[in-house]
Amino acid sequence: LAFTFLQLSSCNSDDKEIEIPDTGNNHVLPIVKITIDEKYLWSEDSGLFVVDHPVLWEFPSQVMYIEEGDTIFDNALGLRLKGNYSINLPNRSMGLYWRKKYGEKKIEYTFFKNYDLKTFKRLKLRNGGTDADQLLTKDAVLSKLMGELRNVEVANSRAVEVFINDMYWGLYNLRELITPRHFQYKYNILNYQN
């Protein structure tokens, strides 16, 4: 087929079917492909895309990251729902968690250009937050500007295309999570225990 049909799940709650040209492997942005059991997404009592409040549930998934046609990783990861206000939007933010119980404890890769940190245990697929239905990059751009102007630590990010169970899910910001482990890796703080 020359076109792929998908369900548009951002911007508003009206169901709209649109056509996206099939560009083969000619993607400009990196691709994040998530494979997860449908019950973890749509179960009435615990589905990540059904609940209407923040939860700490983490479900196993298989996540592949493809950049410039090369598969950078294909790991079993924990997948969590992220966000507060934006949790009520169709495209929800998600956390990716490397843990020993899934296989790899961390990932070593330079996800963000002009940035030395390349060791991560957690990353976030952010939907744009309160701007998810307008301009997905506003928060990322403003954070970067403020970080440079005020010399404060901010989460680096980059735009990615997300597919869940082989369905196009939309554009997201892949972001690092600023946690104590972030400072451990970035500044070589060795005595942090967790």
Side-chain angles (χ1 to χ4, degrees):
L1 291 174
F3 293 93
T4 303
F5 291 92
L6 65 108
Q7 191 72 24
L8 181 63
S9 59
S10 64
C11 299
N12 63 45
S13 61
D14 297 336
D15 290 338
K16 295 183 179 182
E17 216 171 77
I18 62 172
E19 292 182 4
I20 299 292
D22 183 3
T23 58
N25 292 328
N26 298 324
H27 293 270
V28 175
L29 296 174
I31 298 169
V32 177
K33 289 187 174 184
I34 300 170
T35 304
I36 185 169
D37 191 315
E38 293 284 334
K39 71 180 178 186
Y40 297 136
L41 300 177
W42 306 111
S43 170
E44 288 184 27
D45 61 342
S46 62
L48 292 176
F49 294 150
V50 175
V51 296
D52 60 359
H53 56 281
V55 294
L56 294 178
W57 302 324
E58 181 174 305
F59 297 118
S61 64
Q62 189 71 28
V63 179
M64 182 184 298
Y65 185 83
I66 302 165
E67 187 169 7
E68 296 179 3
D70 295 325
T71 299
I72 305 304
F73 70 80
D74 187 356
N75 295 146
L77 303 177
L79 185 73
R80 280 190 186 180
L81 193 60
K82 303 298 279 183
N84 290 312
Y85 163 79
S86 64
I87 204 166
N88 293 310
L89 298 175
N91 274 11
R92 297 176 176 200
S93 294
M94 298 167 277
L96 306 175
Y97 292 81
W98 281 262
R99 299 191 193 281
K100 187 176 181 178
K101 70 179 181 177
Y102 300 121
E104 301 295 325
K105 288 176 61 173
K106 60 188 173 190
I107 184 72
E108 302 239 356
Y109 182 69
T110 306
F111 289 100
F112 311 107
K113 293 183 184 342
N114 302 319
Y115 187 59
D116 293 334
L117 188 61
K118 63 177 186 175
T119 303
F120 301 93
K121 284 188 66 64
R122 300 173 176 107
L123 290 170
K124 183 177 185 178
L125 291 169
R126 191 165 192 275
N127 65 355
T130 56
D131 291 317
D133 60 347
Q134 298 171 18
L135 183 61
L136 296 173
T137 59
K138 180 177 145 186
D139 183 58
V141 170
L142 291 177
S143 292
K144 185 72 171 170
L145 287 173
M146 288 307 296
E148 291 175 4
L149 289 173
R150 299 290 181 204
N151 196 27
V152 295
E153 199 78 19
V154 296
N156 279 286
S157 66
R158 70 180 306 172
V160 296
E161 293 181 73
V162 174
F163 292 79
I164 299 178
N165 292 341
D166 293 324
M167 292 202 54
Y168 182 77
W169 215 251
L171 295 176
Y172 278 76
N173 287 309
L174 178 70
R175 295 185 87 165
E176 63 181 327
L177 287 173
I178 303 293
T179 66
R181 198 165 304 278
H182 162 84
F183 295 98
Q184 176 189 4
Y185 292 140
K186 186 169 183 179
Y187 299 107
N188 295 316
I189 300 170
L190 300 177
N191 61 354
Y192 176 72
Q193 299 295 319
N194 188 0

